[in-house]
């Protein structure tokens, strides 16, 4: 395994609010995630999962501690550099967040707007290829209102992965789906990420998909309470740092 983490977090703390209303929400988080790993993050509502995910995704400013993405320190980094970091990250959310006025092809194309090194033909080939890969080859020019919930989430996966990001962050991607559609979605994510050598960090309450993980990390009250390799690596739990 490559010894340089894709995500490296040291002594991370986070707060919401100011003055007397300031609330400590993440406590001394230490976590490394390595290339090619699929890591699931679990924990009750309000435990800090989504806050941590948005910090890793360079969507919030780092307040205390160190957070490196692909060896780029985010604490104190200028906004222009954060934009560059985000180009190497694919985002998948519970709500697919597709634009209804755009077709599946056009929604996926939005992720390539910042990647201007691609020719028009390369862009088109990549979009059609990823939509074929998620099983929507015959629905490339469909609008979201003509797609099922599972198909919309597949478009969201295609949009996240079309730029071949090094890191994929997913927040409850199966929450609004039935068991079969949810399973299909995570299997597609796993297959495509492995092909592209991407790393996945996925927040979930869905116990039905825990078996896809290389590791499961558990959050409690803003703390990283447990970091457990799955049977695919070793059956023994690893205490949180």
């Amino acid at each position: 395994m490559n010894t340089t983490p894709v995500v490296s977090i040291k002594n991370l703390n986070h707060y919401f609010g100011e003055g007397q209303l300031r609330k400590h929400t993440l406590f001394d988080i230490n976590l490394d995630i390595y290339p090619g790993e699929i890591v699931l993050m679990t924990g009750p509502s309000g435990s800090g999962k989504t806050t941590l995910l948005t910090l890793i995704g360079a969507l919030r400013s780092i307040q205390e501690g160190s957070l490196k993405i692909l060896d780029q320190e985010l604490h104190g980094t200028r906004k222009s550099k954060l934009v560059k970091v985000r180009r190497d990250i694919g985002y998948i959310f519970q709500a697919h967040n597709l634009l209804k006025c755009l077709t599946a092809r056009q929604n996926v194309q939005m992720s390539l707007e910042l990647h201007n090194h691609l020719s028009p033909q390369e862009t088109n080939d990549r979009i059609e290829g990823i939509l074929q890969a998620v099983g929507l080859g015959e629905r490339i020019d469909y609008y979201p209102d003509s797609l099922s919930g599972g198909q919309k989430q597949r478009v969201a996966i295609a949009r996240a992965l079309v730029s071949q990001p090094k890191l994929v962050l997913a927040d409850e991607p199966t929450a609004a789906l039935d068991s079969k559609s949810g399973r299909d979605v995570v299997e597609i994510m796993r297959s495509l990420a492995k092909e592209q050598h991407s790393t996945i960090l996925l927040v979930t309450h869905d116990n039905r998909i825990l078996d896809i993980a290389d590791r499961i990390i558990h959050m409690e009250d803003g703390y990283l309470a447990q970091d457990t390799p799955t049977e695919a690596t070793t059956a023994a739990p690893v205490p949180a740092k």
Side-chain angles (χ1 to χ4, degrees):
M1 179 182 288
N2 187 329
T3 56
T4 303
V6 174
V7 178
S8 183
I9 304 173
K10 307 296 182 191
N11 307 120
L12 180 72
N13 289 275
H14 194 75
Y15 307 83
F16 285 123
E18 295 182 359
Q20 291 184 338
L21 297 178
R22 193 181 197 214
K23 182 180 180 183
H24 201 164
T25 54
L26 292 179
F27 298 83
D28 198 31
I29 303 296
N30 290 275
L31 177 67
D32 289 332
I33 300 175
Y34 291 91
E37 279 195 301
I38 299 176
V39 179
L40 267 56
M41 182 166 22
T42 64
S45 297
S47 60
K49 302 185 304 299
T50 296
T51 300
L52 181 56
L53 198 74
T54 54
L55 288 167
I56 293 170
L59 300 174
R60 297 182 192 272
S61 297
I62 308 302
Q63 298 169 344
E64 286 184 11
S66 171
L67 199 164
K68 292 182 180 180
I69 302 296
L70 300 167
D71 224 21
Q72 171 68 55
E73 176 61 63
L74 301 192
H75 190 180
T77 299
R78 296 193 305 272
K79 288 186 178 180
S80 59
K81 283 195 174 181
L82 290 178
V83 171
K84 291 182 180 179
V85 170
R86 291 181 200 131
R87 293 180 186 177
D88 287 316
I89 303 174
Y91 303 89
I92 305 169
F93 301 101
Q94 177 178 343
H96 47 74
N97 295 327
L98 303 181
L99 292 178
K100 292 184 178 183
C101 60
L102 301 181
T103 64
R105 179 199 302 271
Q106 292 166 332
N107 269 286
V108 173
Q109 185 174 350
M110 290 179 63
S111 280
L112 294 177
E113 295 297 327
L114 294 175
H115 298 264
N116 50 19
H117 63 283
L118 296 174
S119 70
Q121 185 61 53
E122 288 172 324
T123 297
N124 187 65
D125 289 347
R126 192 176 284 192
I127 292 167
E128 292 191 357
I130 197 75
L131 284 168
Q132 290 276 2
V134 299
L136 294 176
E138 297 180 356
R139 292 175 169 79
I140 287 176
D141 294 312
Y142 281 43
Y143 289 91
D145 284 347
S146 299
L147 300 174
S148 69
Q151 288 168 342
K152 290 174 186 175
Q153 197 63 298
R154 291 183 188 204
V155 176
I157 291 170
R159 181 179 58 190
L161 293 176
V162 69
S163 61
Q164 299 178 353
K166 301 290 193 302
L167 175 63
V168 178
L169 302 177
D171 193 1
E172 299 281 5
T174 65
L177 304 177
D178 61 48
S179 58
K180 183 181 187 309
S181 296
R183 186 73 199 185
D184 289 346
V185 158
V186 295
E187 290 290 357
I188 290 167
M189 284 178 58
R190 174 165 66 173
S191 174
L192 288 175
K194 290 296 185 186
E195 283 180 26
Q196 298 181 2
H197 307 291
S198 300
T199 299
I200 295 178
L201 176 59
L202 189 155
V203 170
T204 187
H205 285 104
D206 190 347
N207 292 332
R208 300 168 300 185
I209 66 170
L210 297 182
D211 61 300
I212 75 160
D214 297 309
R215 287 160 60 199
I216 299 172
I217 60 176
H218 186 74
M219 297 288 295
E220 286 277 357
D221 299 322
Y223 291 90
L224 178 54
Q226 193 174 40
D227 184 341
T228 309
T230 60
E231 290 183 3
T233 49
T234 176
V238 176
K241 297 176 183 176

